[in-house]
C-alpha cells in the first residue's frame, strides 16, 4: 500500500491540531462566553442582617446568564433551590427566616456552555429575639412580632376597643413572681394570634427549660359578650387580688355570636398560677366567648388547673390538645352551647406545682360538664340556658389506677343539670370509670333529647358508668364497651411515660377498634342534628385521628415535663 506525502503530513499534524483545540477551549476569552472557564462565582458570602434575614453577596461571573442559589437549614439539612438571580446580580437578601437558626447556601453560574459546579458553602446564623417587658395594659391596636420575646409583667389586659395582633412564631413569657402574670383579653377587645404549624405562637414560663413548673404564670383569659346562665355579677376566678388584678366580671352578656378574635396554632405551657388560695387560673380561660371567635389548633401543656375552661357562650373549637393537666382537660359549664371536634387529652401523672403557685385538683377528669352551680343559679341545676355542647371525635386517655386522687379519674363527669352530645370519642384507661353520670337533672336533659352518648369506644376502665349514679343504655346508642381491652393497643404510639411529642402518635393502629363504629350522619337525631350544623361532621371512625387523614397534631405540639 502506498501513501502520498500530503496524507502522511496531515496525519502527523493531527495531534498538534487537537492540542491547540483543547488549549483554546480552556482559555478565558471574555469576548466569547463559550470560551469562558465554567466556574462558580467567586467571593460568595452570607451575613445575618437580623433575626429573620441573611444577605448573600458574590462577584459577578464572566459570561453568566443567571445564577442558581440553593439553601439548606441546619448543619445537616438538604440543599434545595432558593432563587435564580439574573445576570449582573451580585447580591440577594433572603428574608422570612427563623430566629437563631443556621442556614447554609451555595451558588452556581449558568452559561451557554452549561451550569457550573456549585461554590463552597457559605453559612450564617440568624440572630435571636430581643426581649420586651410588657408592663402596661394594651389600650390601642398593637402588634407583637416574632423578632421579639414579650415578657408579661403582672396581670396585663387588652382593653375594650383594642386589638392585639401576634405574628407567627412569637414567644410570650409569663413572668413568675409572688403575684404572678397573665394576659386578659377583655370584653370588647380582640386578639388575632394566627400562628402556623411551622411557627406556632407560644405562651410559656419565663423560667429556663428544665426549671419550668406548672403554675409558673397565670394563663390566657378571653372574656366575651356571650350568654351565661348566672345572674348578678360573677367575676373571673383569681381576679380581685390587687390594684393590678382587679375583679373582672364575665356574665350578663347578650351576644352568643360575639367575636373575641382568633387563636390558631397557639400553645400555652406551665400556666395555672393561683393569685388567691384555691383560685388557680387556667391555661385557656374562655369566658362567655361567642361563635364569631376562631379557636383551632391549640395546645395546653402542664397547666396547674384546667387546660380549657368554658364559662357560657357559644364558641366553636376544633383541633385542641391537652397534655398533663392539673385538673380537667375540658371543663364546660354555665350555659355553654358551642361545638368542639377533634380533641386530644392525655394524662400520665399528677403534675407537680411550683411552691406557692397553687394546688393540684382532688378530682381531675377528661371532661367535666356542669349546668349551673353556685351564686346566681336562680333555679339551681335547672337554670337556663342549659349547658348543651357537642363534643365529637375526642381521644381522652387517663393514667390508669393508683395515680390521680380517688375523687377523680373519670373520662367524663356529667353533672349539675348539664346536657350535651358526646359522640365518636374514645375513653381509655380512666382509673375510676369511663363516665360519671351524676344527677337527676342531667338525666332530665337526656329525657328531653338534650343529652346523648353515642358511638363511643370505652376501653381499659373498671366501669363504663360510675356505680350508684344515673344510668343509660350505652349499648343501645352504639357505644362499644371493652373494659378489659388495652388502651395502648388502640394507637400507634402510647408509652406509659413519654419524653417528647414524638413519643405520642394518636393514629389508630391497624387493629384498633376505633377505625370503625363512628356515627356518620345525624339525620333523625333531633337536637344533635340541629346543633351540629355544618361545623360538626359525622365520621366512620372514633377518636381524634382519621385513619386516612393527616396527623394534624404533629409538628406544632410539644411534650415535656419541665
Amino acid at each position: 500500500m502506498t501513501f502520498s506525502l500530503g496524507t502522511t503530513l496531515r496525519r502527523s499534524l493531527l495531534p498538534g491540531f487537537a492540542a491547540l483545540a483543547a488549549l483554546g477551549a480552556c482559555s478565558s476569552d471574555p469576548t466569547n462566553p463559550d470560551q469562558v472557564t465554567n466556574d462558580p462565582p467567586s467571593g460568595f458570602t452570607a451575613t445575618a442582617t437580623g433575626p429573620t434575614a441573611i444577605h448573600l453577596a458574590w462577584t459577578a461571573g464572566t459570561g453568566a446568564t443567571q445564577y442558581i442559589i440553593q439553601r439548606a437549614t441546619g448543619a445537616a439539612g438538604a440543599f434545595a433551590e432558593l432563587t435564580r438571580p439574573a445576570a449582573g446580580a451580585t447580591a440577594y437578601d433572603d428574608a422570612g427566616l427563623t430566629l437563631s437558626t443556621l442556614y447554609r447556601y451555595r451558588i452556581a453560574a449558568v452559561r451557554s456552555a452549561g451550569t457550573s459546579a456549585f461554590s463552597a458553602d457559605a453559612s450564617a446564623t440568624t440572630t435571636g429575639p430581643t426581649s420586651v417587658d410588657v408592663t402596661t395594659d394594651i389600650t390601642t391596636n398593637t402588634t407583637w412580632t416574632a423578632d421579639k420575646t414579650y415578657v408579661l409583667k403582672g396581670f396585663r389586659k387588652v382593653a375594650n376597643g383594642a386589638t392585639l395582633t401576634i405574628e407567627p412564631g412569637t414567644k410570650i413569657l409569663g413572668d413568675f413572681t409572688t403575684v404572678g402574670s397573665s394576659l386578659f383579653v377583655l370584653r370588647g377587645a380582640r386578639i388575632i394570634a394566627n400562628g402556623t404549624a411551622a411557627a406556632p405562637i407560644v405562651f410559656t414560663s419565663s423560667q429556663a427549660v428544665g426549671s419550668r413548673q406548672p403554675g409558673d404564670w397565670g394563663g390566657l383569659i378571653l372574656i366575651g359578650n356571650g350568654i351565661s346562665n348566672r345572674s348578678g355579677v360573677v367575676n373571673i376566678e383569681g381576679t380581685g387580688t390587687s390594684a393590678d388584678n382587679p375583679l373582672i366580671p364575665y356574665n350578663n352578656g347578650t351576644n352568643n355570636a360575639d367575636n373575641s378574635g382568633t387563636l390558631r396554632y397557639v400553645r400555652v405551657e406551665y400556666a395555672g398560677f393561683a393569685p388567691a388560695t384555691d383560685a388557680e387560673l387556667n391555661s385557656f380561660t374562655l369566658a362567655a366567648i361567642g361563635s364569631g371567635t376562631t379557636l383551632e389548633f391549640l395546645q395546653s401543656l402542664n397547666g396547674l388547673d384546667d387546660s380549657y375552661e368554658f364559662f357560657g357562650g357559644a364558641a366553636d373549637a376544633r383541633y385542641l390538645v391537652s397534655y398533663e393537666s392539673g385538673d380537667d382537660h375540658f371543663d364546660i359549664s354555665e350555659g355553654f352551647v358551642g361545638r368542639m371536634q377533634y380533641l386530644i387529652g392525655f394524662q400520665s401523672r399528677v403534675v407537680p406545682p411550683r411552691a406557692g403557685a397553687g394546688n393540684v385538683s382532688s378530682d381531675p377528669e377528661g371532661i367535666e360538664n356542669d349546668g349551673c352551680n353556685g351564686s346566681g343559679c336562680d333555679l339551681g341545676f335547672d337554670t337556663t340556658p342549659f349547658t348543651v355542647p357537642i363534643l365529637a371525635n375526642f381521644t381522652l386517655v387517663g393514667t390508669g389506677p393508683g395515680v390521680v386522687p380517688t375523687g377523680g379519674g373519670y373520662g367524663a363527669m356529667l353533672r349539675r343539670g348539664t346536657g350535651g352530645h358526646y359522640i365518636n370519642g374514645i375513653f381509655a384507661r380512666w382509673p375510676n370509670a369511663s363516665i360519671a353520670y351524676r344527677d337527676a337533672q342531667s338525666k332530665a336533659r337526656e329525657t328531653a333529647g338534650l343529652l346523648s352518648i353515642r358511638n363511643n369506644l370505652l376501653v381499659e376502665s373498671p366501669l363504663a358508668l360510675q356505680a350508684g349514679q344515673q344510668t343509660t343504655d350505652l349499648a343501645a346508642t352504639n357505644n362499644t364497651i371493652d373494659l378489659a381491652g388495652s388502651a395502648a393497643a388502640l394507637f400507634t404510639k402510647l408509652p406509659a411515660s413519654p419524653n417528647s411529642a414524638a413519643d405520642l402518635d394518636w393514629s389508630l393502629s391497624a387493629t384498633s377498634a376505633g377505625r370503625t363504629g363512628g356515627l356518620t350522619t345525624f339525620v333523625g337525631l333531633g337536637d344533635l342534628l340541629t346543633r351540629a350544623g355544618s361545623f360538626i361532621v359525622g365520621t366512620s371512625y372514633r377518636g381524634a385521628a382519621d385513619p386516612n387523614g393527616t396527623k394534624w397534631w404533629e409538628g406544632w405540639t410539644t411534650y415535656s415535663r419541665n
Side-chain angles (χ1 to χ4, degrees):
M1 180 179 295
T2 61
F3 296 93
S4 69
L5 178 61
T7 301
T8 304
L9 180 61
R10 283 196 301 271
R11 288 187 175 181
S12 66
L13 293 176
L14 281 175
F17 284 126
L20 288 173
L23 180 62
C26 293
S27 66
S28 183
D29 180 358
T31 65
N32 186 350
D34 290 334
Q35 293 185 2
V36 173
T37 302
N38 203 14
D39 290 332
S42 61
F44 185 54
T45 60
T47 306
T49 54
T52 61
I54 290 176
H55 179 74
L56 306 176
W58 61 93
T59 300
T62 304
T65 58
Q66 64 175 333
Y67 303 98
I68 301 173
I69 297 177
Q70 292 185 340
R71 182 181 70 191
T73 303
F79 278 102
E81 184 172 316
L82 172 64
T83 186
R84 291 196 174 211
T90 59
Y92 177 79
D93 289 301
D94 191 15
L97 303 174
T98 303
L99 284 69
S100 305
T101 301
L102 170 69
Y103 291 94
R104 295 157 35 235
Y105 301 86
R106 61 189 186 184
I107 190 170
V110 178
R111 299 185 175 92
S112 58
T115 301
S116 74
F118 279 95
S119 67
D121 295 1
S123 63
T125 300
T126 52
T127 59
T130 58
S131 182
V132 176
D133 288 347
V134 182
T135 58
T136 59
D137 294 343
I138 297 166
T139 58
T140 60
N141 292 348
T142 300
T143 297
W144 289 353
T145 56
D147 59 344
K148 299 178 179 65
T149 295
Y150 297 85
V151 183
L152 300 172
K153 298 286 187 176
F155 300 90
R156 301 280 60 85
K157 293 93 179 170
V158 184
N160 181 8
T163 296
L164 171 63
T165 300
I166 305 177
E167 290 185 346
T170 303
K171 182 176 285 188
I172 300 95
L173 305 181
D175 185 45
F176 175 72
T177 66
T178 56
V179 297
S181 59
S182 296
L183 181 64
F184 292 79
V185 181
L186 301 181
R187 180 173 286 172
R190 290 188 182 181
I191 181 171
I192 307 298
N194 261 316
T196 67
I201 294 165
V202 180
F203 290 79
T204 191
S205 168
S206 63
Q207 305 301 298
V209 173
S211 299
R212 301 172 298 183
Q213 288 183 269
D216 272 353
W217 68 292
L220 179 59
I221 302 100
L222 274 62
I223 303 157
N225 195 39
I227 299 168
S228 70
N229 58 17
R230 293 176 69 179
S231 65
V233 177
V234 184
N235 298 299
I236 297 289
E237 185 178 39
T239 62
T241 60
S242 67
D244 190 48
N245 184 31
L247 288 168
I248 299 176
Y250 65 86
N251 67 324
N252 295 320
T254 59
N255 180 14
N256 263 355
D258 189 39
N259 183 356
S260 293
T262 297
L263 298 179
R264 180 181 288 117
Y265 289 108
V266 174
R267 294 204 315 259
V268 175
E269 306 171 351
Y270 299 95
F273 177 82
T277 302
D278 295 327
E280 290 85 8
L281 295 165
N282 308 291
S283 295
F284 292 89
T285 298
L286 302 155
I289 300 303
S291 60
T293 309
T294 299
L295 304 170
E296 58 186 21
F297 299 103
L298 310 180
Q299 184 191 7
S300 167
L301 172 68
N302 288 321
L304 186 54
D305 203 63
D306 299 320
S307 297
Y308 302 88
E309 184 155 15
F310 294 84
F311 297 99
D316 294 330
R318 56 191 168 195
Y319 305 114
L320 307 185
V321 177
S322 170
Y323 289 162
E324 310 293 10
S325 177
D327 193 3
D328 308 315
H329 292 275
F330 302 94
D331 192 325
I332 301 164
S333 63
E334 300 183 15
F336 177 78
V337 292
R339 303 164 293 188
M340 289 183 266
Q341 190 164 23
Y342 311 116
L343 316 176
I344 296 171
F346 170 73
Q347 196 76 25
S348 71
R349 63 174 185 155
V350 174
V351 299
R354 181 173 289 281
N359 302 307
V360 294
S361 172
S362 62
D363 60 346
E365 328 291 0
I367 297 168
E368 182 176 286
N369 278 13
D370 296 331
C372 196
N373 185 58
S375 65
C377 295
D378 299 333
L379 297 177
F381 295 171
D382 288 322
T383 301
T384 57
F386 296 133
T387 301
V388 189
I390 298 178
L391 277 73
N393 294 96
F394 47 85
T395 293
L396 301 175
V397 178
T399 62
V403 179
V404 300
T406 56
Y410 298 95
M413 174 75 72
L414 310 179
R415 65 183 185 178
R416 296 172 178 168
T418 192
H421 301 284
Y422 312 90
I423 61 174
N424 292 347
I426 296 175
F427 297 102
R429 208 165 67 190
W430 291 95
N432 279 335
S434 294
I435 301 168
Y437 186 11
R438 286 288 172 89
D439 50 76
Q441 290 88 344
S442 296
K443 185 67 177 180
R445 305 293 96 81
E446 181 184 5
T447 301
L450 300 178
L451 187 154
S452 65
I453 305 168
R454 297 179 179 275
N455 296 72
N456 299 292
L457 175 60
L458 286 58
V459 173
E460 197 177 332
S461 290
L463 296 168
L465 291 168
Q466 181 186 12
Q469 305 295 328
Q470 303 300 311
T471 61
T472 189
D473 190 346
L474 294 175
T477 48
N478 300 312
N479 295 282
T480 301
I481 302 172
D482 183 16
L483 301 182
S486 166
L490 297 176
F491 309 106
T492 301
K493 287 184 184 179
L494 180 59
S497 182
N499 294 307
S500 70
D503 293 336
L504 295 166
D505 187 343
W506 303 107
S507 304
L508 298 169
S509 67
T511 59
S512 177
R515 285 179 167 265
T516 59
L519 180 64
T520 59
T521 179
F522 311 141
V523 174
L525 297 179
D527 188 65
L528 173 57
L529 174 65
T530 301
R531 293 177 186 271
S534 61
F535 188 83
I536 300 290
V537 297
T539 65
S540 60
Y541 61 90
R542 293 173 286 187
D546 182 348
N548 299 310
T550 61
K551 299 180 182 184
W552 57 263
W553 59 89
E554 279 195 343
W556 60 276
T557 62
T558 190
Y559 185 91
S560 60
R561 290 182 174 254
N562 52 34

